[in-house]
Amino acid sequence: RPLEATPAAIRHVKDRYAARKLPLTPARRRLARIPRGATLIENPSGTAPGFWIERPRSRICFLPGVPSECRPMFLASVLPETEKIFPLRRVHTAFWRTFGWGESRLYQEIAPLVARLEKKYPHTFRFGVHISFPCIDLSLEVLERGKRPSQKEIAALTAHIDKTTEQILVTRERKSIPEVVFDLLRNNRLTLSAAESCTGGLLGKTLTDFPGSSHAFVGGVVSYANSAKQQLLGVQKQTLENHGAVSQSAVEEMAQGIRQRLGTDYAIALSGISGPGGGTPDKPVGTIYVAILGPRRSKTLHQVILNGQGSRDQNRVIAMNLALDALRLMILDDLG
Amino acid sequence: RPLEATPAAIRHVKDRYAARKLPLTPARRRLARIPRGATLIENPSGTAPGFWIERPRSRICFLPGVPSECRPMFLASVLPETEKIFPLRRVHTAFWRTFGWGESRLYQEIAPLVARLEKKYPHTFRFGVHISFPCIDLSLEVLERGKRPSQKEIAALTAHIDKTTEQILVTRERKSIPEVVFDLLRNNRLTLSAAESCTGGLLGKTLTDFPGSSHAFVGGVVSYANSAKQQLLGVQKQTLENHGAVSQSAVEEMAQGIRQRLGTDYAIALSGISGPGGGTPDKPVGTIYVAILGPRRSKTLHQVILNGQGSRDQNRVIAMNLALDALRLMILDDLG
């Protein structure tokens, strides 16, 4: 089909550039050309519009490939359009986000019950195990059309999953661990500071992904080198010499140092070996120490993440989530 | 085709779990089942193998969908296999990574020359403009087969691009700005510290993505709240009261504070309004102040990122890259 700049498309492109205070050059105007007869899909985050093409028995949608533009367009335009064509009525949904077990271990615990229902109600019962790294999600949907599980069958499965995931459940909502912790802090007017070594600022970065975070996350120190641990947090030279920077004593002094300096309700300190280098027989790659200090109690964790098989990036992300999940449990305990 | 657990696939799955010190349960053993007649593709980063299926005139490859497993498998197995079938001999390649201009402005400057060569040599001349957010990449390939551009034509285009990108070129290699800066620091035994406000730890996190980074990035402070700027960096209360936390005076004091405490060669400080809230007519969302302090000079930047049209995430990523790119230029100046 020939390309045409339709009035709607020209308006879209013009508006997008006007919002950025940029002139509509000929190169930019070309973005408004879409195939003849196509229907425009608005792009709220970028300049290039998308479009639908109608075909016999099908409809094809074209979107820009950049995820930050494609995703909002899909959610705002494509998904609602598609649901109009294929209405999908759910009579029951449930969701569990867990942290701590692997996918296969978790699935093994619930597979027999799930498989029985999947077999009995192939068109209306849907169960999924998904990775939202480093969490594992379980999701359950019962559709309206056709023979479907009874209330009792659903209740039995739900009770079994609740019991199985008791120790590892993070939330029943689609929120990340940092988001759950951030909401807990903000909703209860609690403050947090952090002393990060191996994560290098990841925890601070992640908690400040949320707007308005300064009320909950006051700040922290990235004490990547030993000198920074001493200078910025007051960790004793002797502690580092006797126990090393990756040790229970070091993270405890780091947490005390940051909490004292910033006067927050809670403080987190992390120190570990993210790899790929730096591991020893005593402290292999993946070793992490976490200290959590609260108004009523303190807690120290020590773990070898993924048995030392994780990448640097995985080790750092898991370390942050380990720390924040431990903080979550402490806050819940403290709130009673 | 029926599924079979081939000896090679069983060995693959067994080895992967053995490396993680996990037993080979029946559920895990199922990962070794691949279609009859398929050829195994090793998965170095995960447990589930991939496989090839041969068909008349085609070969289909199946990989796990997790990007961290899919990508290495593609690079290690699929790409070399594909290049055997379709040999693609390049007689010339060139690459430019730029930072500062938008995609369309950059393309406009070089479009006439590029379009002429594309038309003249449609099968052997390939030019691409790609976004590696927040950088824009230009890449050039000349293939062997068929009529292709002369040395002189290539040299003329290259010279034109060199001149056009003079002020915005970051690197001729496929490295990010943080990686370029990290290499500059490490190769010249220079140290850096950072005081981050709006980026909340992103700069520290990013510089410590690289192993062995403690020699270059000593540490920093995440002074998200004003109290942290005073307590951890010694920023004057009066400065914050008179000029605000997002001001030239504030970032200058932050940079001095962290450089003094950690004794590094260079120090970076950032303070800005990432949005979506917090903007004022004077300091709209996207406003960023950066101070760079070095052994010989200092520099302050002030900009409204993306004219205030960026998302919180974009504003933070661009702020970090602005700061690191300014640091890169200062280090290059200092090295002479």
Side-chain angles (χ1 to χ4, degrees):
Chain A
R1 302 187 185 193
L3 296 176
E4 293 179 334
T6 66
I10 293 173
R11 198 181 322 117
H12 177 279
V13 173
K14 212 170 170 174
D15 288 354
R16 303 307 305 161
Y17 278 108
R20 295 172 185 214
K21 293 172 188 134
L22 291 173
L24 190 63
T25 59
R28 285 171 185 154
R29 203 189 168 88
R30 285 184 56 169
L31 291 175
R33 303 195 311 171
I34 64 176
R36 178 173 296 165
T39 311
L40 189 83
I41 301 177
E42 297 263 340
N43 179 352
S45 344
T47 48
F51 54 86
W52 289 102
I53 292 183
E54 299 274 352
R55 304 256 303 163
R57 298 182 50 78
S58 69
R59 194 188 283 194
I60 309 172
C61 127
F62 295 81
L63 301 177
V66 196
S68 66
E69 302 185 12
C70 184
R71 193 167 298 152
M73 291 172 81
F74 182 84
L75 294 176
S77 303
V78 181
L79 198 59
E81 233 7 74
T82 309
E83 285 186 340
K84 267 189 229 158
I85 306 171
F86 304 104
L88 195 69
R89 296 263 288 277
R90 297 173 190 85
V91 294
H92 186 82
T93 62
F95 178 82
W96 295 259
R97 178 155 286 172
T98 70
F99 175 66
W101 290 4
E103 191 185 4
S104 56
R105 176 170 172 199
L106 182 54
Y107 187 66
Q108 228 174 350
E109 295 280 340
I110 47 179
L113 268 176
V114 165
R116 209 172 53 78
L117 289 174
E118 274 172 342
K119 202 168 172 186
K120 200 164 165 193
Y121 309 104
H123 303 298
T124 55
F125 177 81
R126 292 182 182 182
F127 194 84
V129 183
H130 301 285
I131 297 185
S132 298
F133 183 79
C135 294
I136 309 283
D137 295 344
L138 304 177
S139 67
L140 164 63
E141 273 186 359
V142 179
L143 303 184
E144 193 186 31
R145 293 188 175 176
K147 201 178 75 154
R148 56 179 197 248
S150 67
Q151 296 278 13
K152 209 177 134 193
E153 282 172 308
I154 293 294
L157 175 61
T158 303
H160 178 69
I161 296 175
D162 283 346
K163 192 159 180 308
T164 305
T165 60
E166 202 175 2
Q167 299 300 316
I168 54 173
L169 184 77
V170 174
T171 169
R172 300 292 301 260
E173 298 174 273
R174 289 176 193 274
K175 284 181 178 178
S176 66
I177 293 177
E179 199 175 353
V180 170
V181 167
F182 178 71
D183 287 350
L184 255 184
L185 291 168
R186 204 185 37 184
N187 296 341
N188 296 287
R189 297 173 178 277
L190 296 167
T191 55
L192 174 68
S193 57
E196 304 185 55
S197 183
C198 57
T199 47
L202 174 63
L203 193 145
K205 184 265 168 197
T206 306
L207 285 179
T208 56
D209 280 344
F210 312 109
S213 32
S214 61
H215 301 296
F217 182 68
V218 173
V221 157
V222 178
S223 57
Y224 205 70
N226 277 351
S227 58
K229 294 183 184 71
Q230 296 171 243
Q231 299 289 337
L232 297 174
L233 297 167
V235 174
Q236 298 295 312
K237 199 178 171 198
Q238 217 171 346
T239 306
L240 297 172
E241 276 170 4
N242 293 350
H243 306 279
V246 180
S247 66
Q248 176 166 347
S249 316
V251 288
E252 284 172 354
E253 287 186 30
M254 287 165 66
Q256 278 154 15
I258 194 68
R259 183 158 182 264
Q260 205 173 354
R261 278 162 181 74
L262 294 181
T264 50
D265 299 310
Y266 293 88
I268 283 182
L270 305 95
S271 185
I273 296 161
S274 311
T280 64
D282 264 14
K283 293 175 185 170
V285 166
T287 298
I288 174 81
Y289 283 87
V290 172
I292 318 271
L293 224 63
R296 298 203 197 169
R297 60 201 106 203
S298 65
K299 180 155 67 177
T300 316
L301 303 177
H302 169 213
Q303 193 170 316
V304 180
I305 293 166
L306 294 180
N307 289 313
Q309 295 300 305
S311 68
R312 181 174 178 85
D313 200 43
Q314 287 174 325
N315 288 335
R316 279 154 50 106
V317 171
I318 293 179
M320 171 185 75
N321 279 282
L322 262 175
L324 289 176
D325 200 51
L327 172 65
R328 176 180 71 83
L329 294 171
M330 188 187 283
I331 296 176
L332 289 177
D333 260 7
D334 288 350
L335 293 173
Chain B
R1 301 190 186 191
L3 296 176
E4 292 179 333
T6 66
I10 294 174
R11 198 178 326 115
H12 177 280
V13 173
K14 211 170 172 177
D15 287 353
R16 303 307 306 161
Y17 278 108
R20 296 175 182 211
K21 292 172 189 139
L22 291 171
L24 189 65
T25 59
R28 287 172 184 155
R29 202 189 169 89
R30 285 185 56 169
L31 293 175
R33 301 195 312 172
I34 64 176
R36 180 172 296 167
T39 310
L40 189 83
I41 301 176
E42 297 264 340
N43 178 351
S45 344
T47 48
F51 53 87
W52 290 102
I53 292 183
E54 300 272 353
R55 304 256 304 163
R57 298 181 52 79
S58 70
R59 194 188 282 194
I60 310 171
C61 125
F62 296 82
L63 301 177
V66 195
S68 65
E69 302 184 13
C70 184
R71 194 167 297 152
M73 291 172 81
F74 183 83
L75 294 175
S77 303
V78 181
L79 198 59
E81 236 1 79
T82 310
E83 287 186 339
K84 267 190 230 160
I85 306 171
F86 304 105
L88 195 70
R89 298 263 288 275
R90 298 172 189 87
V91 295
H92 186 81
T93 63
F95 178 82
W96 295 260
R97 177 156 289 172
T98 71
F99 175 66
W101 289 4
E103 192 185 2
S104 55
R105 175 171 174 200
L106 183 54
Y107 187 66
Q108 228 173 348
E109 295 281 338
I110 47 177
L113 267 175
V114 164
R116 210 171 52 78
L117 289 174
E118 276 173 340
K119 204 169 170 185
K120 202 165 162 194
Y121 309 104
H123 303 299
T124 54
F125 176 82
R126 292 182 180 183
F127 194 84
V129 182
H130 301 286
I131 297 185
S132 298
F133 183 79
C135 294
I136 310 284
D137 295 342
L138 305 176
S139 67
L140 165 63
E141 274 187 356
V142 179
L143 303 185
E144 194 186 32
R145 293 186 174 178
K147 201 176 73 153
R148 58 179 198 246
S150 68
Q151 296 278 14
K152 210 178 132 191
E153 284 173 307
I154 293 296
L157 175 62
T158 302
H160 179 69
I161 296 175
D162 284 345
K163 196 163 177 308
T164 305
T165 60
E166 202 176 1
Q167 299 299 318
I168 54 173
L169 184 76
V170 174
T171 169
R172 301 292 303 260
E173 297 173 275
R174 289 177 192 272
K175 284 181 180 178
S176 66
I177 293 178
E179 199 177 351
V180 171
V181 167
F182 178 71
D183 287 350
L184 256 184
L185 291 169
R186 204 185 33 182
N187 297 340
N188 296 287
R189 296 173 177 279
L190 296 166
T191 55
L192 174 69
S193 57
E196 304 185 56
S197 183
C198 57
T199 47
L202 174 62
L203 192 145
K205 184 266 169 197
T206 307
L207 285 179
T208 56
D209 280 343
F210 313 109
S213 33
S214 60
H215 301 297
F217 182 68
V218 173
V221 157
V222 179
S223 57
Y224 205 72
N226 277 352
S227 59
K229 292 184 184 69
Q230 296 172 244
Q231 299 289 338
L232 297 174
L233 295 167
V235 174
Q236 298 294 314
K237 198 177 171 196
Q238 217 171 347
T239 306
L240 298 171
E241 275 169 4
N242 293 349
H243 306 278
V246 179
S247 68
Q248 177 167 344
S249 316
V251 286
E252 284 172 355
E253 287 187 30
M254 286 165 67
Q256 277 153 17
I258 193 68
R259 184 158 181 265
Q260 207 173 353
R261 278 165 181 73
L262 293 182
T264 49
D265 298 309
Y266 293 88
I268 283 182
L270 304 96
S271 186
I273 296 160
S274 311
T280 65
D282 264 13
K283 293 176 186 169
V285 167
T287 298
I288 174 84
Y289 284 88
V290 172
I292 317 271
L293 224 62
R296 298 201 195 170
R297 60 201 104 205
S298 65
K299 181 155 66 176
T300 314
L301 304 177
H302 169 213
Q303 194 170 314
V304 180
I305 293 167
L306 294 180
N307 289 312
Q309 296 299 304
S311 68
R312 181 176 179 83
D313 200 42
Q314 287 174 325
N315 288 335
R316 282 155 47 105
V317 171
I318 293 179
M320 171 185 73
N321 280 281
L322 263 176
L324 289 176
D325 201 50
L327 172 64
R328 177 181 70 83
L329 294 172
M330 187 185 285
I331 296 176
L332 289 177
D333 260 8
D334 288 350
L335 293 174

